[in-house]
Amino acid sequence: MRSPTRISSPQPSHDGAPAYRNPYEELAELADPSPEDDDADLGGRKDQPSGVGSDSGSSAGSGSGDDGEPWSPPNHRRSSRRRRGRFKAVPRTAKALIGLVVLGLLLVLGDRWAVMYAERKAEQQLQKKLDLATAPNVTIHGFPFLTQVLGKKLEQVDIAVPDVAADRVSLAEVRAQAQDIRIVGDLPSSFKGAVVGRMKGDVLLSFEDLNRELGASQVRFRALGPSSVRADGKLPVAGKEVSLHAKAHIRRQGDRGISTSVSDMRLDIPEIATYRPGPGADAGLFLHKKAAEQISEDSGKAQALLSIPAVAEKLGVQPSQADRAQSDGRELDRITGSPRFVPALLGVNLVQAANDHPQLARKLGIDPTVAAALAKLKVPELTDKLELSFQLPKKAKGIRLANIGVSPEGIRADLTGTGLNFGKTR
């Protein structure tokens, strides 16, 4: 029969205080006894280790460990103390370095935030004070920014302004680099203005904008040379479309403007004639070479021209010869077959003949109403359609233009300025 397992009570220590047994040993005693223990119970308890279930002060009964020290519960806070201990083991120099790095990052982030805030405020102020349709793009250079603010002096500020109105046209882009800037007021709360020590930049009058703003007559502009622009397009005249061609030479007007002088202007009636306006000797309506050659081969058109004494005289044909050519085919062939006929015909101004003899104009393929309308066109009226000039805005005081030229994108000019005042500087 299995003997009941006894749980020993706390045993007194040497000093009289109760000594607590190891709980793991008590759990072991609660387990089922081994077969040897059953035999001992049946035949009488034998070979029972001393101290088990007795009041002796042995190591098993006293709850002490193998080394004789009193048992104590495990301390589960050692790991956290160990982690804190590892951080304490980091040298103070490394801790200080980490702290400086973190502080530096915070200062840099704060400085960059202040720059972005100041740039946004400057963009709003410039748009308002210069009455711009689009807010400019302002970039403040220099680090740290906050020290510049405290000193009220900025090293460099880049400004890019798109779409600036300049008289009839718009400047596609104005870029400026301002240096040595003295701030008036306090950034960013009470900014009043600034004084720019020196400034440089450039402006672009793009052909794309010129085509849109001056292209009501379907005129297109392109670069022709370092200081010239080519204009080509269509122009409605008396309900018909004629081709327009001209050259515009770019030059500086004073130190704040650009002007153009238009030359070699002509309006073409396709494959028939060209009209050149103006009071010069080359002004008037002149046949194309191909049309003149066709007339020399067409007896009807040639006889119609020779029937007009003023035209025959300009062709170098005597009145008697012109009269015989009306009825004598051989005389007509002799006149029109001469190597001098076509070149002479190209030099004949047909404006008056077309106006006085509408039937002749129609026979030559020229609409009399178009010829009459072309003769009424005035040079200023035409050049106004090709006017590329502009002036810098009046509010941009102290800025001057220099080094004007033509690029594939449009007309460019450099900007310069010193001692420029923006806003309230007093």
Side-chain angles (χ1 to χ4, degrees), residues 149-325:
V149 172
L150 293 175
K152 294 187 177 182
K153 190 173 183 180
L154 301 180
E155 297 177 5
Q156 179 179 320
V157 176
D158 293 344
I159 304 171
V161 187
D163 192 22
V164 179
D167 294 339
R168 296 176 57 203
V169 297
S170 297
L171 300 177
E173 184 180 56
V174 178
R175 295 183 299 179
Q177 184 184 88
Q179 297 176 333
D180 190 18
I181 305 163
R182 179 171 58 86
I183 300 173
V184 179
D186 296 322
L187 284 176
S189 58
S190 60
F191 174 76
K192 297 179 180 178
V195 178
V196 178
R198 58 188 180 278
M199 188 212 72
K200 61 180 180 179
D202 62 80
V203 297
L204 171 64
L205 179 60
S206 74
F207 291 137
E208 184 178 351
D209 288 341
L210 290 174
N211 294 339
R212 183 182 66 254
E213 297 171 356
L214 301 180
S217 58
Q218 300 178 354
V219 177
R220 295 295 177 265
F221 300 89
R222 58 185 174 89
L224 182 62
S227 60
S228 299
V229 173
R230 180 83 177 181
D232 300 285
K234 301 291 184 180
L235 186 69
V237 176
K240 305 289 184 178
E241 275 194 349
V242 298
S243 299
L244 173 66
H245 307 280
K247 295 179 182 178
H249 303 277
I250 310 300
R251 64 176 183 271
R252 188 175 66 181
Q253 185 178 15
D255 58 3
R256 290 178 54 81
I258 292 177
S259 64
T260 55
S261 59
V262 180
S263 65
D264 194 22
M265 181 184 296
R266 69 183 192 274
L267 295 96
D268 290 335
I269 301 174
E271 300 182 355
I272 299 175
T274 294
Y275 177 74
R276 290 185 174 90
D282 60 345
L285 182 64
F286 300 90
L287 291 171
H288 292 168
K289 184 178 181 179
K290 184 177 180 180
E293 292 174 346
Q294 289 176 348
I295 291 173
S296 68
E297 298 173 355
D298 189 323
S299 58
K301 292 181 180 180
Q303 288 174 340
L305 278 173
L306 294 175
S307 65
I308 301 174
V311 174
E313 182 181 354
K314 291 179 181 179
L315 290 173
V317 179
Q318 297 297 324
S320 59
Q321 295 175 319
D323 289 340
R324 287 196 303 270

Side-chain angles (χ1 to χ4, degrees), residues 92-147:
R92 292 184 178 180
T93 305
K95 295 178 183 178
L97 182 60
I98 294 172
L100 289 176
V101 170
V102 173
L103 180 60
L105 290 175
L106 293 175
L107 290 176
V108 170
L109 290 175
D111 190 83
R112 293 301 90 191
W113 180 88
V115 167
M116 291 188 292
Y117 182 81
E119 289 172 347
R120 186 169 66 253
K121 286 294 184 181
E123 291 168 356
Q124 294 172 354
Q125 289 290 330
L126 285 174
Q127 183 179 12
K128 180 180 179 181
K129 292 184 179 299
L130 297 180
D131 194 22
L132 301 175
T134 306
N137 183 19
V138 176
T139 303
I140 300 175
H141 294 273
F143 180 82
F145 170 70
L146 295 176
T147 58

